[in-house]
């Protein structure tokens, strides 16, 4: 696979259009020419590059194992078929799993090539260390923010504005970024926010009512989401997770989970140990929890 945040690769939306379309077809397959005619009519992108948009979507979908090309037919994979045609969040879950499992941590840290999505993974690892909802990153500031964050052999995660543009589509789709809460009048801005990725992972890993020790819970999240600070991808790249047991980025997601009811974080007065995280409600700004219960609304 060529680099994911590259003009030769598809963005998430065309991939979803292709999967959703095939999911509606008899036997979940269709002739390639018919799919192209339906998904790329002349009126869709007037004067645009509709042919290449479709070709990139098919090629990237094949690389991700979402579709298979059999002779002149496109056939939906079993995993993509399970997503169905209505649940875009489930589709984003599938994309996230594909992105996070294509390479191992050692390859990510030692192979300077950008193939197999290593460009996107390194960019996510860097972006998530910024760790604050007040850190707006735009096409005008990403170069400064990422300067010398990785080794000289690997170079900057995002090498130009075209790659930043691709990142602004991929990072939110995978649940690792969002638009700023307050309006921003300049260039399109992103803030690090892994809440959706964390919530969806919690939903998939644990049933409502499950109780876990704090360290077991955090380790389970980092295993499933290794691009988070403290995860194996981030650590392999030499990125520091922060001064607390839980990074600022993950701390924000845990705060959201507690406020929205899908996480119950507790620390009985007689309990020892536990995990420290950034918590603005605590007097010192540092909270602690020893136990986690998965909230009842996690399956909503």
């Amino acid at each position: 696979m060529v680099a994911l945040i590259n003009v030769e690769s598809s963005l998430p939306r065309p991939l979803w259009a292709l999967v959703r379309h095939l999911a509606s077809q008899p036997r979940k397959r269709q002739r390639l020419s018919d799919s192209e005619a339906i998904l790329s009519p002349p009126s869709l992108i007037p004067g645009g590059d509709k042919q290449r948009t479709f070709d990139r979507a098919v090629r990237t979908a094949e690389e991700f194992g979402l579709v298979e090309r059999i002779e002149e037919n496109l056939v939906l994979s079993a995993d993509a078929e399970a997503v169905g045609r209505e649940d875009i969040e489930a589709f984003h879950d599938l994309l996230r799993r594909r992105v996070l499992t294509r390479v191992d941590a050692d390859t990510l840290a030692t192979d300077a090539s950008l193939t197999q999505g290593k460009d996107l993974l390194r960019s996510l690892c860097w972006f998530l260390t910024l760790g604050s909802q007040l850190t707006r990153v735009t096409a005008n500031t990403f170069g400064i923010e990422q300067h010398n964050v990785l080794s000289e052999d690997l170079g900057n995660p995002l090498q130009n504005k075209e790659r930043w543009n691709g990142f602004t589509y991929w990072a939110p789709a995978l649940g690792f970024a969002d638009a700023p809460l307050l309006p921003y009048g300049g260039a399109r801005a992103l803030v690090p926010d892994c809440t959706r990725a964390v919530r969806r992972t919690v939903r998939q890993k644990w049933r409502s009512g499950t109780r876990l020790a704090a360290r077991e819970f955090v380790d389970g999240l980092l295993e499933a989401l290794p691009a988070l600070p403290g995860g194996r991808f981030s650590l392999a790249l030499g990125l520091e997770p922060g001064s607390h047991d839980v990074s600022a980025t993950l701390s924000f997601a845990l705060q959201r989970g507690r406020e929205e009811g899908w996480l119950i974080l507790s620390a009985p007065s007689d309990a020892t140990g536990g995990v420290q995280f950034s918590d603005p409600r605590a007097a010192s700004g540092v909270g602690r929890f020893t136990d986690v219960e998965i909230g009842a609304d996690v399956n909503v």
Side-chain angles (χ1 to χ4, degrees):
M1 175 188 287
V2 297
L4 263 180
I5 41 178
N6 182 290
V7 294
E8 295 304 317
S9 291
S10 179
L11 295 173
R13 281 286 180 171
L15 291 175
W16 171 234
L18 178 62
V19 167
R20 184 179 184 183
H21 172 68
L22 290 176
S24 68
Q25 300 307 305
R27 299 182 300 281
K28 314 302 179 187
R29 66 169 60 204
Q30 190 176 62
R31 289 183 60 82
L32 180 64
S33 57
D34 292 339
S35 293
E36 181 181 347
I38 293 172
L39 293 173
S40 299
S43 60
L44 182 62
I45 313 176
D49 196 1
K50 63 183 180 62
Q51 174 67 45
R52 292 191 65 194
T53 298
F54 177 78
D55 289 345
R56 287 192 292 260
V58 171
R59 185 169 60 250
T60 306
E62 287 182 284
E63 290 281 355
F64 273 144
L66 306 177
V67 302
E68 182 180 1
R69 196 187 312 222
I70 301 178
E71 295 179 348
E72 290 303 310
N73 293 304
L74 288 179
V75 182
L76 199 62
S77 72
D79 286 343
E81 183 178 348
V83 167
R85 55 177 297 188
E86 301 299 334
D87 193 347
I88 191 171
E89 286 301 316
F91 175 70
H92 288 159
D93 292 341
L94 178 57
L95 281 187
R96 186 168 55 250
R97 290 194 296 272
R98 292 289 195 265
V99 168
L100 294 175
T101 57
R102 291 189 66 79
V103 298
D104 57 51
D106 182 65
T107 301
L108 183 68
T110 59
D111 179 359
S113 73
L114 304 179
T115 57
Q116 294 183 290
K118 292 193 289 294
D119 58 334
L120 177 56
L121 286 175
R122 292 182 191 126
S123 300
L124 286 170
C125 288
W126 152 70
F127 185 73
L128 292 167
T129 62
L130 299 178
S132 170
Q133 281 286 294
L134 300 178
T135 306
R136 293 188 176 106
V137 185
T138 73
N140 299 323
T141 64
F142 77 89
I144 298 172
E145 295 283 359
Q146 68 172 352
H147 183 61
N148 288 337
V149 70
L150 299 183
S151 69
E152 185 177 347
D153 290 341
L154 295 178
N156 289 334
L158 294 165
Q159 298 173 359
N160 51 53
K161 287 190 176 183
E162 285 70 25
R163 292 187 187 279
W164 165 255
N165 183 57
F167 184 77
T168 64
Y169 290 92
W170 276 100
L174 299 182
F176 292 121
D178 211 338
L181 182 61
L182 298 177
Y184 184 77
R188 182 182 181 186
L190 286 183
V191 295
D193 185 352
C194 63
T195 302
R196 283 190 295 119
V198 169
R199 189 183 192 280
R200 297 290 295 188
T201 299
V202 167
R203 178 178 183 173
Q204 291 152 17
K205 284 183 67 68
W206 298 292
R207 296 170 64 96
S208 174
T210 299
R211 297 174 182 267
L212 304 99
R215 188 73 259 172
E216 178 187 5
F217 172 72
V218 171
D219 287 348
L221 287 178
L222 294 179
E223 176 64 25
L225 302 171
L228 290 178
R232 62 185 182 277
F233 287 166
S234 190
L235 292 176
L237 292 172
L239 298 170
E240 294 295 329
S243 58
H244 305 316
D245 299 320
V246 175
S247 68
T249 309
L250 182 52
S251 292
F252 180 77
L254 299 185
Q255 294 165 31
R256 286 276 305 274
R258 180 180 60 187
E259 293 168 2
E260 295 170 2
W262 46 275
L263 289 179
I264 301 169
L265 310 179
S266 59
S269 57
D270 59 345
T272 60
V275 167
Q276 288 187 331
F277 72 119
S278 300
D279 183 3
R281 300 199 312 189
S284 63
V286 180
R288 182 178 70 93
F289 63 100
T290 59
D291 301 282
V292 179
E293 181 178 345
I294 308 305
D297 78 335
V298 74
N299 293 317
V300 174

